[in-house]
């Protein structure tokens, strides 16, 4: 069949899709019993002298026994591991034997078992000899298991939404507990398929090094973050992804970024059956994905607290996950409009000039931001009385034209006085002992951020939350605005650890450091032995942004009451979407970053933050007119649609390019389409809020029975019915788009498309 060239507008094909309802498969789930799920394997006597058992293991199933640098035959043997060098780039030469790990000692019941470490050398020291394994049948589709020290309490994430639960309903899964070495297999009851099999590698549980591996049934793995994943489906060729909140540029490397997300989704096969895995752990970690396919978690603290969630479809898994961590906030309707921002407005007059020139060209445009420029010396809860003299009235100026105003706050608070007197916000916080302290628990830790020397609020401290809410309410009364943007909350620090540096101890320099950016725990943040109310910064670092979100929610409710508002955060953790949206950080004006924004949006849909978008036209560097035009076109269909760029670069708001420019005409065209479709977009957010649906989703979520969709990540859907296919390369006016086997219509021409389940060529119309 020949390819037909379909007429479409240049960057976006939006099509209406008439879906045929699929018949749900009814699972017959029977209640599992201890007798059903426990294997009575014999527990052999452990030999006195440890000798690693190194049978032939498929290369893709080797579990790395030397994740740190410097593996050699001697160092590998010292860990009791197997050494077999190969002419392979990524396959580990040093790998675990089959007699490493733990064994089940007590006669287990469904809910609990005692584990004892098998005699073997240690990887990083301080191995814990006795552990407790505990399982919970949380819902028919959600299974939890936790492994922790049998005798000593360890840090656990104090999540405000995730709670223990047990159900007596019939289960759609069953698990098998293997006794020696300890392992767990979770099966889907309807098919018998093993979804999560930890017998592929040993359990390692030391004070500062925890490791668990699991074999998966499919290589269709999506999620884990926050990173720049250059494709939506993971590459299983021995890729290691560190997870630890960091102020870092999303430039396409494998390093860790602003948030911490240990959730991934696995599509089992073309039936749509899927499952998700969530590890409730906030310590620094890395996750390796290998060809088996298998996943290995290496974390340096806390406990192993896993949730496995089953679904008949990928959407069903996300819904189950969001029931666990909290379903997302529904933004106010106005927050779905187009938004303008930049860091680098020199005065309020410049902001007004930007607003007015975009009004004059008739740009659909609802929200204007100001970044830290508005502050007095970049101090929170202040404004520059000279350059931004009329800021208290700015919101009224915007409201008169139906627009909204959003400003920014950072967590770091200056210690220096204001221009004309004391800095009352700092003084009040000091009186309330609101700051993160050094290891002594008394002395406020000092760092440096935009305003110079700073302290850092401890948002896990109730006294700090009260201080933050009070300061915000005072400022809101002084400078009227409509919503709040919080930034730099990884937490970012321009000093390494503190102005004093960090002590040499096993928190700041743990026995094993995951493959995080810079290879130093406290780089660009606080010393790990700093103290907060929830615990040591070593344990709660990746929760800093989440705790700030919770505190800011208290502040917003105090200031706005029942009036709907919006919060936008840079750093996040599972559950933050219950209150906040997110943007993909400090990207750059290049053709790679416009592409990588799509997998980023799709992932945050999985993570429970559907109010998501990238800085349109790029944050750093000056975009070409073509790049900015293409980005305005695709950005018109980001759920969070904001053009934002950095200080010292040229303005990139549409009107800057000229009232009659191609960019302006194109931007108006596609933004008008967005505004026409806002009722549909708002409905999608409502469904996300009440049911846990994704808003932006991949084709795989709707057409999982078509294997071609499993890797499509240059197109995306709004819900089930609209398909967006952007131009993402320079000098291009024709693109290949995948059309699935469904009834589709071209949005602008209303032409019914005849091609199905194939790639088609699309080309541009005259004006765009």
């Amino acid at each position: 069949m020949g390819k037909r060239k379909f007429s479409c507008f240049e960057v976006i094909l939006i099509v209406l899709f008439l879906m045929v309802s699929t018949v749900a498969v009814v699972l017959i789930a029977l209640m599992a019993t201890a007798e059903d799920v426990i294997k009575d394997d014999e527990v052999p006597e452990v030999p006195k002298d440890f000798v690693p058992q190194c049978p032939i293991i498929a290369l893709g199933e080797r579990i790395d026994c030397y994740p740190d640098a410097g593996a050699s035959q001697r160092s590998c043997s010292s860990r009791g591991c197997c050494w077999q060098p190969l002419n392979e780039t990524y396959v580990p030469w040093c790998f675990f034997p089959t007699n490493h790990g733990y064994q089940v000692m007590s006669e287990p019941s469904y809910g609990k078992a005692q584990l004892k470490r098998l005699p073997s050398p240690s990887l990083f020291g301080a191995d814990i000899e006795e552990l407790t394994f505990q399982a919970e049948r949380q819902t028919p589709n959600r299974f939890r298991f936790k492994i922790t020290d049998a005798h000593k309490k360890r840090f656990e994430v104090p999540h405000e939404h995730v709670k223990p639960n047990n159900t007596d309903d019939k289960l759609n899964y069953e698990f098998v507990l293997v006794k020696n070495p300890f392992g767990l297999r979770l099966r889907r009851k309807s098919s018998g398929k093993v979804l999560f099999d930890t017998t592929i590698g040993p359990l390692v549980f030391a004070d500062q090094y925890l490791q668990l591996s699991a074999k998966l049934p499919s290589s269709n793995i999506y999620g884990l973050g926050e990173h720049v994943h250059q494709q939506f489906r993971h590459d299983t060729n021995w890729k290691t992804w560190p997870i630890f909140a960091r102020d870092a540029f999303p430039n396409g490397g494998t390093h860790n970024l602003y948030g911490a997300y240990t959730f991934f989704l696995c599509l089992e096969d073309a039936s749509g059956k899927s499952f998700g895995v969530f590890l409730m752990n906030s310590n620094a970690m890395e996750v390796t994905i290998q060809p088996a396919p298998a996943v290995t978690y290496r974390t340096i603290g806390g406990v192993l607290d896993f949730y496995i969630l089953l679904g008949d479809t990928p959407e069903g898994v996300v819904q189950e996950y969001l029931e666990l961590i909290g379903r997302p906030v529904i933004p106010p309707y106005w927050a779905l409009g187009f938004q303008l921002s930049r860091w680098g407005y020199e005065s309020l007059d410049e902001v007004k000039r930007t607003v007015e020139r975009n009004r004059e060209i008739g740009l659909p445009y609802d929200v204007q931001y100001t970044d830290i420029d508005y502050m007095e010396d970049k101090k929170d809860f202040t404004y520059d009385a000279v350059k931004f003299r009329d800021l208290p009235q700015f919101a009224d100026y915007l409201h008169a034209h139906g627009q909204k105003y959003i400003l920014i706050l950072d967590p770091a608070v200056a210690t220096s006085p204001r221009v004309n007197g004391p800095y009352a916000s700092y003084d009040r916080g000091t009186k309330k002992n609101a700051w993160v302290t050094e290891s002594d628990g008394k002395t406020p830790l000092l760092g440096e951020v935009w305003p110079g020397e700073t302290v850092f609020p401890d948002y896990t401290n109730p006294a700090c939350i009260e201080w933050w809410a009070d300061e915000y309410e005072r400022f809101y009364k002084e400078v009227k605005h409509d919503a709040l943007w919080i930034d730099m909350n990884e937490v970012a620090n321009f000093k390494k650890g503190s102005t004093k540096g960090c002590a040499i101890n096993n928190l700041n320099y743990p026995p094993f450091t995951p493959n995080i950016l810079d290879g130093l725990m406290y780089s660009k943040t606080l010393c790990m032995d700093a103290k907060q109310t929830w615990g040591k910064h070593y344990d709660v670092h990746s929760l800093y942004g989440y705790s700030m979100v919770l505190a800011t929610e208290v502040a917003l409710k105090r200031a706005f009451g029942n009036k709907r508002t919006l919060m936008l955060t840079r750093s996040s953790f599972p559950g933050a979407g219950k209150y906040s949206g997110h943007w993909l950080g400090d990207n750059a004006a290049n053709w790679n970053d416009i592409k990588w924004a799509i997998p980023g949006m799709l992932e945050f849909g999985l993570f429970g933050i559907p109010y998501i978008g990238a800085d349109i036209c790029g944050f750093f560097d000056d975009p070409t007119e073509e790049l900015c035009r293409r980005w305005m076109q695709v950005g018109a269909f980001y759920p969070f649609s904001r053009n934002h760029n950095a200080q010292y670069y040229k303005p990139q708001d549409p009107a800057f390019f000229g009232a009659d420019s191609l960019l302006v005409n194109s931007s108006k065209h596609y933004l008008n389409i967005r505004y026409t479709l806002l009722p549909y977009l708002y409905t999608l957010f409502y469904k996300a809020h009440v049911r846990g649906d994704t808003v932006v989703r991949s084709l795989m979520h709707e057409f999982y029975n078509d294997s071609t969709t499993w890797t499509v990540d240059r197109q995306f859907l709004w819900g089930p019915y609209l398909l967006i296919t952007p131009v993402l390369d320079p000098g291009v006016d024709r693109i290949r788009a995948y059309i699935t086997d469904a009834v589709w219509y071209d949005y602008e021409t209303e032409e019914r498309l005849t091609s199905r389940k194939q790639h088609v060529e699309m080309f541009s119309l005259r004006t765009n």
Side-chain angles (χ1 to χ4, degrees), residues 553-564:
E553 175 67 9
V554 173
L556 289 171
K557 283 186 175 179
R558 185 172 297 184
F560 286 89
N562 293 326
K563 184 179 178 182
R564 294 180 66 191

Side-chain angles (χ1 to χ4, degrees), residues 349-368:
D349 287 341
E350 184 180 350
V351 180
K352 288 182 175 180
R353 286 195 295 272
T354 301
V355 172
E356 287 165 4
R357 69 180 175 231
N358 284 279
R359 282 179 186 165
E360 287 173 4
I361 63 170
L363 185 78
Y365 159 39
D366 273 78
V367 182
Q368 178 64 50

Side-chain angles (χ1 to χ4, degrees), residues 435-447 453-456 458 497-503 505 507-508 526-533 535-537:
W435 317 129
V436 175
T437 70
E438 295 181 5
S439 59
D440 62 9
K442 299 177 182 178
T443 309
L445 183 145
L446 299 178
E453 183 183 83
T454 59
V455 289
F456 299 90
D458 174 12
S498 78
T499 55
K500 298 178 181 178
C502 297
N505 56 42
L507 296 179
N508 294 316
L526 311 185
C527 298
M528 295 293 109
D529 58 358
K531 288 192 174 180
Q532 296 179 240
T533 300
K536 298 169 185 174
H537 197 70

Side-chain angles (χ1 to χ4, degrees), residues 20-138:
V20 178
S21 299
T22 58
V23 178
V25 177
V26 179
L27 295 178
I28 302 175
L30 301 176
M31 178 67 71
T33 67
E35 290 74 23
D36 293 331
V37 298
I38 300 300
K39 291 288 187 180
D40 292 323
D41 299 350
E42 291 295 323
V43 181
E45 290 186 8
V46 178
K48 294 180 180 179
D49 297 318
F50 178 79
V51 177
Q53 296 175 6
C54 299
I56 296 174
I57 298 175
L59 298 187
E61 295 189 4
R62 289 185 177 185
I63 302 300
D64 194 352
C65 195
Y66 220 101
D68 44 336
S72 66
Q73 184 172 2
R74 182 176 179 182
S75 61
C76 180
S77 297
S78 72
R79 294 183 177 182
C81 296
C82 308
W83 177 259
Q84 186 182 350
L86 297 165
N87 185 23
E88 298 283 347
T89 304
Y90 301 114
V91 178
W93 293 8
C94 180
F95 54 97
F96 278 98
T98 56
N99 57 332
H100 211 292
Y102 287 77
Q103 62 180 329
V104 177
M105 296 303 294
S106 63
E107 186 60 33
S109 65
Y110 190 97
K112 202 167 186 179
Q114 298 301 116
L115 312 181
K116 185 174 178 60
R117 186 172 181 267
L118 294 170
S120 61
S122 175
L123 270 67
F124 299 104
D127 291 271
I128 296 171
E129 294 297 320
E130 296 183 355
L131 304 174
T132 297
F133 167 88
Q134 188 168 352
E136 289 180 8
R137 301 164 293 183
Q138 292 216 324

Side-chain angles (χ1 to χ4, degrees), residues 429-684:
T430 300
K431 287 180 181 178
K432 285 185 174 290
N433 297 315
W435 317 129
V436 175
T437 70
E438 295 181 5
S439 59
D440 62 9
K442 299 177 182 178
T443 309
L445 183 145
L446 299 178
E448 181 181 315
V449 194
W450 303 117
E453 183 183 83
T454 59
V455 289
F456 299 90
D458 174 12
Y459 294 108
T460 71
N461 179 355
C464 176
I465 296 172
E466 174 59 31
W467 163 81
W468 181 252
D470 179 62
E471 294 301 321
Y472 181 70
E473 187 176 22
R474 291 169 186 258
F475 187 60
Y476 175 75
K477 291 176 180 177
E478 186 177 8
V479 178
K480 190 175 181 180
H481 54 279
D482 299 288
L484 186 60
W485 168 25
I486 53 177
D487 192 13
M488 306 293 286
N489 52 350
E490 290 70 35
V491 59
N493 181 9
F494 298 163
K495 296 289 185 181
K496 290 183 178 180
S498 78
T499 55
K500 298 178 181 178
C502 297
I504 299 175
N505 56 42
N506 64 356
L507 296 179
N508 294 316
Y509 300 92
F512 171 77
T513 299
N515 190 31
I516 58 174
L517 184 64
D518 302 331
L520 183 66
M521 294 290 292
Y522 55 81
S523 177
K524 301 182 76 174
T525 190
L526 311 185
C527 298
M528 295 293 109
D529 58 358
K531 288 192 174 180
Q532 296 179 240
T533 300
W534 279 0
K536 298 169 185 174
H537 197 70
Y538 180 88
D539 294 316
V540 304
H541 168 80
S542 289
L543 297 172
Y544 194 93
Y546 173 66
S547 66
M548 187 181 183
V549 166
L550 297 181
T552 302
E553 175 67 9
V554 173
L556 289 171
K557 283 186 175 179
R558 185 172 297 184
F560 286 89
N562 293 326
K563 184 179 178 182
R564 294 180 66 191
T565 182
L566 173 73
M567 188 197 320
L568 195 69
T569 183
R570 189 168 78 171
S571 185
S572 57
F573 186 84
K578 186 178 176 182
Y579 306 107
S580 178
H582 175 64
W583 82 106
L584 295 173
D586 296 342
N587 61 1
N590 60 60
W591 292 95
N592 282 327
D593 284 13
I594 192 176
K595 295 181 183 71
W596 298 338
I598 295 176
M601 289 196 305
L602 295 176
E603 286 173 346
F604 272 91
L606 302 182
F607 299 156
I609 304 188
Y611 191 70
I612 182 70
D615 284 345
I616 294 170
C617 298
F619 181 71
F620 289 118
D621 304 327
D622 291 319
T624 63
E625 187 277 344
E626 181 189 15
L627 173 63
C628 195
R629 172 164 43 92
R630 294 302 191 193
W631 216 323
M632 284 294 299
Q633 291 166 350
V634 65
F637 301 96
Y638 291 169
F640 167 53
S641 182
R642 182 183 71 167
N643 180 315
H644 177 58
N645 72 321
Q647 194 175 38
Y648 307 126
Y649 299 105
K650 295 177 183 177
Q652 60 189 33
D653 56 278
F656 178 78
F657 290 85
D660 297 323
S661 67
L662 186 60
L663 184 144
V664 164
N665 291 332
S666 175
S667 298
K668 289 166 63 177
H669 180 80
Y670 296 112
L671 286 173
N672 276 319
I673 294 174
R674 176 191 181 88
Y675 276 77
T676 300
L677 297 172
L678 284 190
Y680 174 60
L681 181 61
Y682 192 71
T683 301
L684 294 176

